[in-house]
Amino acid sequence: MNASRPQLDTISQPSIAHFDVRALESNPSTPGSSNWRRSLIALEAPDTAVSLPPIDGGFHAYAYLASAWMFELLVWSLPFSYGVFLNYYTTVLFSPDDSQLNLLPLVGTLSSGIIYMASLLVLPFILRYPGQKRNISLLGLVLCVAGLLGSAFATRPTHLLATQGVVYSLGATMMFFPVATYLMDWFSVKRGLANGILFTGTGLGGIVVPFVAEFLLNRYGQRIAFITLAAIFGGLALPAFVYAKPRLPVAQISAASAVDTSFLKNQVFWIFFIANIIQALANFLPGIYLPSFANDLNLSTTSGTLALALMNATSMPGLILIGGMSDKLDLRLSISLSTVGSALAIFLVWGFTAKLAPLLVFACIYGFFSGGFSVLWPKFIGVISKDDPHLYSTLMSLFIASRGLGNVLSGPLSTTLLKHSPLYDKAGFGYGLKGYGPLILFSGCGMLASTVAVCYPYFVGKTIDVSIPLARRPVLMRRLTDE
């Protein structure tokens, strides 16, 4: 929509009418243009017509984006800063001989993994009851604050698993995704760029939260730290609800419709889906272990926090660049830039890191490239669904949930990799430092393997035949069919 000539969009049931009001009023050659305009609207648009703000621009679109950005920052910055919490838990809060110590990495992967996976429940529900999105988001805020307050009084790793790992994550899912679904209302042509900007909230939160959490934990201890974080979370979230609203009028309940599962036969879907799981298995491991890795290099605690903050900081320009590229260039270029760039950073920089400088270089390079993969989801879905809003929601929930699955599985997998390393303490750099060698190799190989997504054009239009030939069906089934 041309910003210099704003239009009045009127939406109604069952018809839609569009009028360029300013053009009618500014044309003196049109006799009685003002009366004619009112007559035309009276004839063409029913009484229930609603004026809509412009799409892809204007105050309301950007106000929504700013509100959603704040939700993004709050919800994701804590899980993406978990490396700081993990380092505190393993070095200060719990004894190295604690039998539940192996559960602590799982707290981190659950805290983000459940947010992704629970979307499979939240997204279908809000699609069925769109009028409840705001109430669900508010309930999610309550659960997030409750999870943080519960973590303040946790005395065992299992307590943290329940509060920081489960309660907070369920609340974050309910708080974030109803608001995120409005993005399709407000942005169309600029959707890739808008997604990139939205996701930078995680990056900025990931810069600030690690230092805030480290300061609070080391200065005041677990209890005061989590109570303070809960107060900040609630204080910043509540004002953001003002403009976190849809562009289109929302029905209280939408007609139930059968889920279109035809995409399961689409080979392109499976290429993207499998690549997404593989990328998720590798993507979160560096962020979880960087502070502990720095500690094992005998660097200061602040060094690990700085590396984590830099990783989150450099993800912001990476998200905008890769998201913007996907709007204008071949999608395969954006995929390759994210996956191959991340793999090279892991293999060539993290694997040979022995001092602070290369650790910070790795954090910057990896942060820039790795986060861009998830910003490509709308483009993946666009290839499959062609902007069908119902199918879009279904596919988005599947991509989000599969990322969560990979994330959750990476927790226990990483614990196993760290324990069984043939290079354990065989060298002073990354590959030989304690058990990090297999972890580094797995992360790099996972990122490289997810590049399989670039093969999608070769599968466009191809489907998977799920029918069973008659000759291969069981004899009893053939007899029942014949009868």
Side-chain angles (χ1 to χ4, degrees):
M1 186 173 292
N2 193 333
S4 62
R5 293 182 62 198
Q7 292 181 335
L8 174 65
D9 289 2
T10 49
I11 182 168
S12 60
Q13 295 296 334
S15 63
I16 298 176
H18 300 273
F19 305 100
D20 194 340
V21 176
R22 292 191 178 183
L24 288 169
E25 292 182 337
S26 62
N27 187 353
S29 63
T30 304
S33 60
S34 180
N35 293 331
W36 179 82
R37 172 177 58 86
R38 286 194 294 268
S39 300
L40 179 60
I41 294 176
L43 288 172
E44 298 286 344
D47 293 338
T48 55
V50 178
S51 175
L52 297 179
I55 194 171
D56 279 318
F59 172 79
H60 290 281
Y62 294 126
Y64 158 76
L65 187 59
S67 297
W69 180 87
M70 178 57 70
F71 278 62
E72 172 87 15
L73 183 152
L74 293 172
V75 163
W76 294 104
S77 58
L78 284 171
F80 279 32
S81 303
Y82 182 73
V84 172
F85 293 95
L86 177 63
N87 192 50
Y88 176 80
Y89 296 154
T90 55
T91 60
V92 178
L93 190 60
F94 299 110
S95 167
D97 300 326
D98 195 306
S99 60
Q100 297 181 356
L101 209 62
N102 290 338
L103 293 176
L104 292 174
L106 184 59
V107 175
T109 55
L110 277 179
S111 66
S112 54
I114 289 181
I115 299 177
Y116 289 119
M117 296 178 68
S119 65
L120 275 178
L121 301 176
V122 173
L123 287 174
F125 182 84
I126 61 179
L127 186 65
R128 179 76 173 93
Y129 302 99
Q132 298 301 316
K133 287 183 179 181
R134 190 174 187 82
N135 294 332
I136 293 172
S137 289
L138 288 169
L139 179 58
L141 172 59
V142 172
L143 288 176
C144 285
V145 172
L148 293 174
L149 290 176
S151 299
F153 299 93
T155 57
R156 303 290 296 134
T158 49
H159 300 164
L160 290 169
L161 197 68
T163 55
Q164 190 176 4
V166 177
V167 175
Y168 171 85
S169 304
L170 290 175
T173 305
M174 297 169 66
M175 175 180 163
F176 175 72
F177 286 107
V179 173
T181 58
Y182 297 144
L183 188 73
M184 281 192 71
D185 287 0
W186 289 106
F187 294 93
S188 177
V189 175
K190 299 179 181 178
R191 190 175 299 159
L193 179 60
N195 269 282
I197 294 172
L198 175 63
F199 288 0
T200 61
T202 300
L204 183 60
I207 298 171
V208 177
V209 171
F211 289 107
V212 172
E214 182 190 25
F215 172 78
L216 292 173
L217 288 168
N218 293 334
R219 181 71 178 271
Y220 300 106
Q222 168 201 4
R223 185 162 299 181
I224 298 299
F226 274 104
I227 291 174
T228 304
L229 290 173
I232 295 173
F233 192 100
L236 292 176
L238 282 174
F241 275 95
V242 175
Y243 289 103
K245 56 187 179 181
R247 175 176 176 266
L248 303 175
V250 178
Q252 290 301 308
I253 183 170
S254 63
S257 58
V259 178
D260 181 7
T261 59
S262 61
F263 66 88
L264 293 174
K265 299 180 181 180
N266 190 330
Q267 294 186 12
V268 175
F269 164 75
W270 289 107
I271 291 293
F272 287 146
F273 188 75
I274 293 171
N276 194 53
I277 294 178
I278 295 172
Q279 199 268 353
L281 281 169
N283 180 70
F284 296 95
L285 297 180
I288 291 174
Y289 285 101
L290 268 188
S292 299
F293 182 83
N295 187 62
D296 289 330
L297 283 175
N298 296 319
L299 301 175
S300 66
T301 304
T302 305
S303 299
T305 304
L306 177 61
L308 187 60
L310 284 175
M311 179 185 297
N312 291 323
T314 53
S315 70
M316 292 191 292
L319 287 166
I320 294 175
L321 174 66
I322 294 173
M325 281 180 58
S326 69
D327 285 334
K328 298 180 180 180
L329 302 176
D330 192 317
L331 179 58
R332 289 172 292 182
L333 292 176
S334 298
I335 295 171
S336 301
L337 185 65
S338 176
T339 56
V340 176
S342 301
L344 292 177
I346 293 171
F347 287 136
L348 302 180
V349 185
W350 191 20
F352 294 99
T353 291
K355 296 182 179 179
L356 177 61
L359 181 66
L360 299 182
V361 170
F362 164 72
C364 291
I365 298 174
Y366 183 78
F368 182 87
F369 289 114
S370 63
F373 195 85
S374 58
V375 83
L376 300 177
W377 288 341
K379 294 298 179 180
F380 293 170
I381 295 169
V383 174
I384 303 166
S385 71
K386 305 302 180 186
D387 282 341
D388 178 345
H390 291 281
L391 188 53
Y392 182 96
S393 297
T394 301
L395 291 171
M396 180 60 80
S397 63
L398 287 174
F399 277 109
I400 293 170
S402 64
R403 186 172 180 83
L405 176 64
N407 188 8
V408 170
L409 292 177
S410 68
L413 182 60
S414 65
T415 303
T416 303
L417 291 171
L418 286 170
K419 284 184 176 179
H420 302 88
S421 173
L423 300 174
Y424 197 97
D425 275 347
K426 296 293 179 63
F429 51 85
Y431 286 117
L433 180 66
K434 292 194 173 180
Y436 289 100
L439 186 73
I440 293 171
L441 289 172
F442 176 82
S443 299
C445 290
M447 283 295 186
L448 201 58
S450 62
T451 311
V452 69
V454 301
C455 300
Y456 80 89
Y458 301 102
F459 298 91
V460 172
K462 297 181 180 179
T463 59
I464 299 173
D465 186 5
V466 295
S467 61
I468 303 175
L470 181 62
R472 296 184 181 179
R473 284 185 288 170
V475 175
L476 178 60
M477 181 62 69
R478 290 206 304 269
R479 287 176 180 172
L480 290 174
T481 304
D482 292 340
E483 292 175 0

